[in-house]
Amino acid sequence: MGHGKRAAAYARVSTLLGQDVENQLHGIRELASHRGYQLLPPYNDEGISGKNEKRPGLQRLVADAKRGLFNVLIVHSIDRLGRSTKHLLNLIDELKHYNVTLISIREGLDFTTPTGQMALTMLSAVAQLEAQLISERIKTSMAVKKALAVSTQNGWRCGRPPLPTSLEQEVLKLKAEGHSIRAIAKRLGNVSKSSVSRIIKNESQNGS
């Protein structure tokens, strides 16, 4: 059923644990043979953590996928590609853009099938939930710090520190004299063009 399809094998092992890529490649070769895929020479990364997204073998694989050298990617298990859900989804999405589908033997994930597509949707939902939880934790932490600052008067504030009032007045004075934002920043020396622009914009809004 897979005659004419070119497949790539990717294997990653930790040499510290005495692992051998052949243990992963054996099952990959069997599946490719059973489906009639033409299997290319494997892409391997040995002794490199799955947390490292810039692995030589994986980078060569993505580059060859972009060139259209294969249609299917087969791995022993999905954690061989990466440990981060976000990285995995980005990688799968990039491969999909190059018309490459993924098969993971251990998990039984075959993204060439409707069931596999449903599994991918679930992975995406998990990644989105992770991002939302992180965002909520950050918001909660900032709210707690703000409340503590108000109660203790410790001077903590979120965002950029306020510019001295005298500096704001000098910026507005120079602007009224017709100086450009670039000229004002250069003349004052200790204030950026973006800060000058913000001061002028705030004054314009407050005066409108």
Side-chain angles (χ1 to χ4, degrees), residues 4-8 68-73 98-102 112:
K5 282 194 173 183
R6 296 184 303 276
L69 297 188
F70 55 88
N71 317 101
V72 179
L73 172 61
Y98 303 142
N99 296 315
V100 174
T101 51
L102 174 67
T112 65

Side-chain angles (χ1 to χ4, degrees), residues 10-59:
Y10 176 76
R12 181 184 62 78
V13 296
S14 171
T15 53
L16 295 176
L17 299 178
Q19 298 174 330
D20 187 345
V21 293
E22 284 299 320
N23 294 334
Q24 299 175 29
L25 295 175
H26 177 71
I28 293 174
R29 292 190 185 104
E30 283 191 341
L31 186 143
S33 176
H34 176 72
R35 295 201 177 187
Y37 294 152
Q38 177 188 345
L39 192 62
L40 302 179
Y43 299 85
N44 301 333
D45 280 311
E46 300 186 53
I48 303 179
S49 170
K51 294 179 181 179
N52 186 349
E53 298 180 9
K54 295 182 179 180
R55 288 165 257 152
L58 184 61
Q59 288 183 311

Side-chain angles (χ1 to χ4, degrees), residues 5 18 28 43 60 74 86 111 114 130 142 173 177:
K5 282 194 173 183
I28 293 174
Y43 299 85
R60 286 193 298 106
I74 309 173
K86 181 180 179 181
F111 295 133
E130 287 179 354
M142 298 301 286
K173 177 176 176 291
E177 292 174 359

Side-chain angles (χ1 to χ4, degrees), residues 113-129:
T113 67
T115 302
Q117 290 296 317
M118 182 176 68
L120 180 58
T121 301
M122 293 175 64
L123 282 173
S124 300
V126 170
Q128 184 177 2
L129 178 60

